[in-house]
Amino acid sequence: MITSSTVFEQWATAHQQRAEQALASTLPSADTQPERLHAAMRYAVLGGGKRVRALLSYAAAELVGAPASSADAAAVAVELIHAFSLVHDDMPCMDDDDLRRGKPSCHKQFGDATALLVGDALQALAFQCIADTHAPQALKQVQILAQATGSRGMCGGQDIDLHSTGKRLSRDALETMHQYKTGALIRAAALLGAYAAGQTEEKHLTLLNQYSQNMGLAFQVVDDILDATADTHTLGKTAGKDALQEKSTYVSLLGIDEAKALVTTLYEQTLQSLAGFDQQADSLRGIARFICERPF
């Protein structure tokens, strides 16, 4: 029997492969000078990851009636920004992790200096990818991506995180930190996909903003639960680091059971917000289920 879950899995697999192929063709080849830098960029980006942000771009394009091809640049751009953040986050001056996606972190494989340049180059390439479309909406997409990446987005969230180690944050402060660190790029992924259509209705933007807020928070809560309960092999990165580094998390603040209840609430709210949309929102529903039902 083909279930809605099976349909989504087929859709997700096809679009993950599409994103992987687009990333592979966008990244410079490893035999192009400077070869070591380009090899390290490909190492950091390709062959791993769930491509959730790329899937969000494709799903948002579907919501507004645009073909998947129109969202390729958006999907690539958000995955490049995400990869850049992971490379820098793993470095000794940040979270200092030797493992990422089940293999040595970029700085362990290529050295700190090359890893720093990899992150810088991936960020630049993300914006070039959007600009190279020459689409009328490219400037708006660049604006959205820049805000999500900068001091009022991902970089700002990382700074708050670094300077909150050893401190007990309030729930509001913790949510603000993760709205920046995790939620901002998830929101950008969805909005970039919607703008790929070249035109958007207010109802779509309102929905995607609400959806992204719920799913950005749910993604982080689930990550916190998995860090506390899963092993390193399952995660593909070092497990238990939040507790070791005395970081405030939803688990340390709420406990496991209440954190799981929060994920359930966010998922139910998301499904409710999508109730007014038909099959065009099925991929968004599937992504929400995937984010919230990761095993923990």
Side-chain angles (χ1 to χ4, degrees), residues 132-195:
D132 281 349
T133 65
H134 302 293
Q137 68 273 14
L139 182 60
K140 180 63 177 178
Q141 290 178 304
V142 165
Q143 180 188 42
I144 291 169
L145 190 58
Q147 184 169 339
T149 304
S151 62
R152 291 178 295 170
M154 189 180 65
C155 289
Q158 177 70 357
D159 182 71
I160 296 170
D161 191 14
L162 288 170
H163 292 93
S164 299
T165 300
K167 300 177 182 177
R168 184 172 177 82
L169 298 180
S170 68
R171 184 165 174 173
D172 285 346
L174 187 63
E175 184 168 335
T176 296
M177 179 177 77
H178 289 306
Q179 281 177 346
Y180 280 29
K181 185 177 179 180
T182 305
L185 191 57
I186 285 177
R187 174 180 179 271
L191 291 180
L192 261 60
Y195 276 102

Side-chain angles (χ1 to χ4, degrees), residues 61-274:
E62 279 188 12
L63 182 73
V64 298
S69 58
S70 69
D72 283 337
V76 168
V78 292
E79 287 294 334
L80 291 175
I81 292 292
H82 179 53
F84 129 64
S85 75
L86 298 182
V87 170
H88 280 187
D89 282 0
D90 288 339
M91 293 183 68
C93 60
M94 293 283 195
D95 288 344
D96 192 13
D97 205 317
D98 294 345
L99 193 66
R100 174 64 65 179
R101 293 174 174 170
K103 62 184 182 181
S105 303
C106 189
H107 74 276
K108 294 299 293 184
Q109 189 75 9
F110 292 92
D112 290 2
T114 298
L116 181 66
L117 293 173
V118 164
D120 293 344
L122 292 176
Q123 180 178 191
L125 183 59
F127 288 101
Q128 180 184 339
C129 188
I130 296 292
D132 281 349
T133 65
H134 302 293
Q137 68 273 14
L139 182 60
K140 180 63 177 178
Q141 290 178 304
V142 165
Q143 180 188 42
I144 291 169
L145 190 58
Q147 184 169 339
T149 304
S151 62
R152 291 178 295 170
M154 189 180 65
C155 289
Q158 177 70 357
D159 182 71
I160 296 170
D161 191 14
L162 288 170
H163 292 93
S164 299
T165 300
K167 300 177 182 177
R168 184 172 177 82
L169 298 180
S170 68
R171 184 165 174 173
D172 285 346
L174 187 63
E175 184 168 335
T176 296
M177 179 177 77
H178 289 306
Q179 281 177 346
Y180 280 29
K181 185 177 179 180
T182 305
L185 191 57
I186 285 177
R187 174 180 179 271
L191 291 180
L192 261 60
Y195 276 102
Q199 57 181 359
T200 52
E201 297 182 29
E202 191 62 33
K203 67 174 183 178
H204 293 138
L205 297 180
T206 299
L207 169 66
L208 290 171
N209 272 303
Q210 183 179 358
Y211 177 95
S212 300
Q213 184 173 356
N214 285 341
M215 285 302 99
L217 180 55
F219 194 98
Q220 186 59 52
V221 178
V222 173
D223 262 10
D224 287 353
I225 295 170
L226 290 173
D227 185 78
T229 60
D231 58 30
T232 295
H233 176 74
T234 301
L235 294 178
K237 59 182 179 180
T238 306
K241 289 200 70 176
D242 290 339
L244 289 173
Q245 295 177 343
E246 298 182 24
K247 288 190 174 185
S248 285
T249 68
Y250 284 96
V251 171
S252 67
L253 194 66
L254 305 177
I256 293 286
D257 290 342
E258 194 172 339
K260 289 181 178 180
L262 176 57
V263 174
T264 299
T265 298
L266 291 167
Y267 179 55
E268 290 172 349
Q269 290 175 347
T270 298
L271 291 185
Q272 189 174 22
S273 71
L274 293 169

Side-chain angles (χ1 to χ4, degrees), residues 1-17 50-60 62 211 215 219 267 271 274 279-294:
M1 177 184 294
I2 297 178
T3 66
S4 58
S5 178
T6 302
V7 170
F8 171 72
E9 289 171 4
Q10 293 170 345
W11 177 91
T13 298
H15 286 78
Q16 285 164 339
Q17 292 172 350
K50 298 173 286 293
R51 306 297 182 208
V52 171
R53 291 153 190 82
L55 293 181
L56 278 170
S57 290
Y58 288 126
E62 279 188 12
Y211 177 95
M215 285 302 99
F219 194 98
Y267 179 55
L271 291 185
L274 293 169
Q279 292 181 342
Q280 69 201 89
D282 278 352
S283 297
L284 289 173
R285 293 184 183 96
I287 293 170
R289 184 172 61 249
F290 171 77
I291 288 174
C292 296
E293 293 183 358
R294 285 181 292 166

